[in-house]
Amino acid sequence: MFRQLGVIGCGLMGGSFALALKRGGLVKRVVGYSKSPSTVDRAKRLGVIDESADSALLAVSGSDIVLISVPVAATEGTLKTIRHGIEPGALVMDVGSTKRDVVDAARRVLKERLVSFVPAHPIAGKEVAGVEHADALLYQNRQVILTPLSQTDPALVQKATDVWAAVGSQVLRMTPENHDTAFAAVSHLPHLLAFAYFNAVMAQPAGREFLSLAGPGFRDFTRIAASEPAVWRDILASNREEVIKQLARLRHALDAFEHVMRSGNQEALEDLIRSASEGRGNWQMNARPGSAR
Amino acid sequence: MFRQLGVIGCGLMGGSFALALKRGGLVKRVVGYSKSPSTVDRAKRLGVIDESADSALLAVSGSDIVLISVPVAATEGTLKTIRHGIEPGALVMDVGSTKRDVVDAARRVLKERLVSFVPAHPIAGKEVAGVEHADALLYQNRQVILTPLSQTDPALVQKATDVWAAVGSQVLRMTPENHDTAFAAVSHLPHLLAFAYFNAVMAQPAGREFLSLAGPGFRDFTRIAASEPAVWRDILASNREEVIKQLARLRHALDAFEHVMRSGNQEALEDLIRSASEGRGNWQMNARPGSAR
């Protein structure tokens, strides 16, 4: 049970975490700060936070658990601002989709408070942003990756593990490097593809007409193309090397398809499709390798 | 009201059409044929068809409405087989996802029976195939494209329009050429991308580990990668010129992303994402251009 949660960035992710802790009876009081005063007002009116703070530092002071849920590029500035307010023994987490940059920023600015920081990435979200979409069940049956530093207090890593487990998440630990490589493959590249694909369709003279004909396959394939531009700009920029590596692999796979289509090799074309189709048919969300399928 | 529906290919599409006609009281009797006898048996046991036929020709004889729902590459052979069984005034449709090849095949083999043929493409489906997934509501609130030939009897085009409307579909007419261009963009390319993307992830040494970390965005983005290999081999092969043109456009859009990521131009990167995000945010399935949104 925590005494006070300080949420910095009262959007979808931060708001959902506050609601989840309240729902589980895991916190007595939630204090929130957002750059935009109207966001904080909405969060308070919706009962997502109990009190609004006038600064990030004030949201942190007196809190024994802090969640930073700002765009990745704003993390370093936020850590700088709150550093002197972090109480001894407090647990400080972020929710960024990239982890190397966050860990580097923390190393640069947190100094003696580095022990408090447990970088976190919950694999959850919606294609709509904002506190009005906050959802106490957003993290239920989702994975959360923690990438603790060697300096992080092990007791706080345990606390972080416990609080995410208490809101229904499955908690994994990885190095920041492995995290960023894996998520370039399974999250960042699909977003890039969905954005680029949507732009490619719209750029055509008959693009609008085409879009009016699209069906349920298109709907699901492009759902992530509606994601928040500022958030995804930061993610793609901060993990660009890994994303570009994954893009090269994708181009290679596209070349293979184009080659068999041009050569008219029906059998090879079917083999390429079958490989994907069987792979996807056997895939299940949240199935750990080695666990029963 | 039809006297007898002949279904050639008792899978998801054909089975769902049979169930939809039965549900709407639009047909007295359904006769089905499939290449595999076990499929026909299952279709009969599930009540999807009333009688099984020993050949495609026998399924057509005595039918005043015929639905050909076989992989696109098998359409020409099927038309050849049934030609002499098509009764005067009978409506014959297919459900193929490509239309130029189907129209060309019909021109080659149907001869004096060409008047009966109304090529159709219902924009509906599931990523699971087979008659056990047939669904009387599969075509409800979906679009159906008809690409009639100049020789097609206008009264039969009207009958086709009426029967699809009666099962809840919105009916549009296009030329086969425009159809194939549009669906290369909004359906065939996304499938190709989903297949290639899934293969690219799996081809990596840590691919399996990566897949275990993937979340709901990945799940929706790759849903169509599980589609039926033989069906999609035929679609990609038969519409390969248009698909390859769309792929070139996509590569161009990917180049634009890679360029701004490499150059570190954050503003241009956000603009590219915003264009897709706003476009997808405004998109609605089945919204005709010019209609209220």
Side-chain angles (χ1 to χ4, degrees):
Chain A
M1 173 66 145
F2 293 95
R3 194 175 62 241
Q4 181 176 302
L5 165 67
V7 177
I8 302 171
C10 303
L12 173 68
M13 303 295 281
S16 296
F17 189 73
L19 290 177
L21 259 57
K22 288 181 166 211
R23 184 172 181 273
L26 299 162
V27 70
K28 287 199 187 114
R29 191 163 173 268
V30 178
V31 176
Y33 167 76
S34 271
K35 220 170 66 180
S36 140
S38 71
T39 301
V40 191
D41 287 350
R42 271 208 309 284
K44 207 173 155 187
R45 244 184 301 119
L46 292 165
V48 170
I49 62 173
D50 303 310
E51 293 299 329
S52 61
D54 289 338
S55 71
L57 185 64
L58 286 170
V60 165
S61 108
S63 293
D64 51 350
I65 177 168
V66 173
L67 194 78
I68 301 169
S69 43
V70 300
V72 174
T75 304
E76 181 159 3
T78 303
L79 290 174
K80 228 180 258 176
T81 310
I82 66 170
R83 180 183 152 216
H84 292 294
I86 300 173
E87 319 246 326
L91 167 64
V92 179
M93 298 188 288
D94 76 318
V95 297
S97 297
T98 51
K99 292 269 80 73
R100 269 195 306 188
D101 57 338
V102 165
V103 163
D104 288 347
R107 282 216 176 86
R108 276 193 298 273
V109 306
L110 278 184
K111 311 270 161 66
E112 77 289 353
R113 304 292 200 232
L114 202 52
V115 293
S116 275
F117 189 52
V118 181
H121 175 203
I123 317 306
K126 296 183 181 178
E127 71 279 23
V128 286
V131 69
E132 47 278 72
H133 299 108
D135 176 352
L137 301 179
L138 186 69
Y139 302 112
Q140 200 166 62
N141 299 320
R142 293 288 177 261
Q143 296 187 97
V144 174
I145 319 291
L146 305 181
T147 65
L149 297 84
S150 56
Q151 295 90 336
T152 311
D153 178 354
L156 291 178
V157 179
Q158 190 56 52
K159 262 197 187 172
T161 305
D162 294 344
V163 73
W164 285 109
V167 301
S169 299
Q170 185 187 2
V171 183
L172 304 173
R173 288 187 207 176
M174 294 175 78
T175 66
E177 292 73 24
N178 287 347
H179 170 279
D180 284 7
T181 305
F183 284 91
V186 296
S187 170
H188 309 167
L189 179 64
H191 279 79
L192 173 57
L193 285 179
F195 297 139
Y197 165 69
F198 209 94
N199 284 351
V201 175
M202 285 200 301
Q204 303 180 48
R208 245 195 102 161
E209 176 70 26
F210 292 171
L211 288 176
S212 73
L213 297 164
F218 175 95
R219 177 195 60 204
D220 293 352
F221 182 77
T222 60
R223 183 178 67 77
I224 53 176
S227 300
E228 190 64 19
V231 168
W232 280 90
R233 174 203 62 205
D234 285 359
I235 293 170
L236 294 182
S238 102
N239 201 23
R240 71 176 182 175
E241 275 154 50
E242 294 297 331
V243 174
I244 287 172
K245 272 188 218 162
Q246 290 295 328
L247 181 54
R249 289 179 176 276
L250 184 268
R251 287 186 195 268
H252 195 73
L254 289 174
D255 291 345
F257 269 93
E258 186 165 345
H259 176 75
V260 298
M261 285 167 72
R262 283 191 189 277
S263 69
N265 187 339
Q266 303 282 81
E267 206 178 316
L269 177 57
E270 184 171 341
D271 286 346
L272 286 178
I273 300 173
R274 186 174 305 280
S275 153
S277 176
E278 291 184 353
R280 180 55 175 77
N282 291 327
W283 177 79
Q284 280 185 309
M285 200 161 70
N286 299 348
R288 302 296 309 148
S291 69
R293 294 215 155 204
Chain B
M1 174 64 147
F2 293 96
R3 196 175 61 243
Q4 180 177 301
L5 165 65
V7 178
I8 301 170
C10 303
L12 174 70
M13 303 296 281
S16 295
F17 189 73
L19 289 177
L21 260 59
K22 287 183 165 206
R23 183 173 181 274
L26 299 163
V27 70
K28 286 201 191 114
R29 188 162 175 271
V30 178
V31 176
Y33 167 77
S34 271
K35 219 170 66 178
S36 138
S38 70
T39 301
V40 192
D41 286 350
R42 270 206 312 283
K44 207 173 157 188
R45 245 183 300 122
L46 291 165
V48 170
I49 63 173
D50 302 311
E51 292 299 327
S52 61
D54 290 337
S55 71
L57 185 64
L58 286 170
V60 165
S61 108
S63 293
D64 51 350
I65 178 169
V66 172
L67 193 79
I68 301 169
S69 43
V70 299
V72 175
T75 305
E76 181 158 1
T78 303
L79 291 174
K80 224 180 262 178
T81 310
I82 66 170
R83 180 182 154 216
H84 292 293
I86 300 172
E87 318 246 324
L91 167 62
V92 179
M93 298 188 288
D94 76 318
V95 296
S97 296
T98 51
K99 293 269 80 75
R100 268 195 310 187
D101 57 337
V102 165
V103 163
D104 288 348
R107 281 216 178 87
R108 276 193 298 273
V109 305
L110 279 184
K111 313 267 162 69
E112 77 289 352
R113 304 292 200 230
L114 202 52
V115 293
S116 275
F117 189 53
V118 182
H121 175 203
I123 317 304
K126 297 184 182 179
E127 72 277 22
V128 285
V131 69
E132 45 278 71
H133 300 107
D135 175 353
L137 301 178
L138 187 70
Y139 302 112
Q140 200 166 60
N141 299 319
R142 293 287 177 262
Q143 296 188 97
V144 175
I145 319 292
L146 304 181
T147 65
L149 297 85
S150 57
Q151 296 91 335
T152 312
D153 178 354
L156 291 178
V157 179
Q158 191 55 53
K159 263 196 187 171
T161 305
D162 294 343
V163 73
W164 285 110
V167 300
S169 300
Q170 186 188 4
V171 183
L172 305 173
R173 287 187 207 178
M174 295 175 76
T175 66
E177 291 73 23
N178 287 347
H179 170 278
D180 285 6
T181 306
F183 284 90
V186 297
S187 170
H188 310 168
L189 179 63
H191 278 79
L192 173 56
L193 285 179
F195 298 140
Y197 165 70
F198 209 93
N199 285 349
V201 175
M202 286 201 299
Q204 302 181 47
R208 248 195 101 161
E209 176 69 24
F210 292 173
L211 289 175
S212 72
L213 297 164
F218 175 95
R219 177 195 58 205
D220 293 354
F221 181 78
T222 59
R223 183 177 69 77
I224 54 177
S227 300
E228 190 64 19
V231 168
W232 281 90
R233 173 203 63 204
D234 285 359
I235 293 170
L236 295 182
S238 101
N239 201 23
R240 70 175 184 175
E241 274 154 49
E242 294 298 330
V243 174
I244 287 171
K245 273 189 217 162
Q246 290 296 327
L247 180 54
R249 288 179 177 276
L250 184 269
R251 288 185 195 266
H252 196 72
L254 289 174
D255 291 343
F257 269 91
E258 186 165 346
H259 177 74
V260 299
M261 284 167 71
R262 283 190 189 277
S263 70
N265 187 338
Q266 303 282 81
E267 207 179 315
L269 176 57
E270 184 171 342
D271 286 348
L272 286 178
I273 299 174
R274 187 175 305 281
S275 154
S277 176
E278 291 183 354
R280 180 54 176 81
N282 290 327
W283 179 79
Q284 281 186 307
M285 201 161 71
N286 299 347
R288 302 295 310 148
S291 69
R293 293 214 158 207

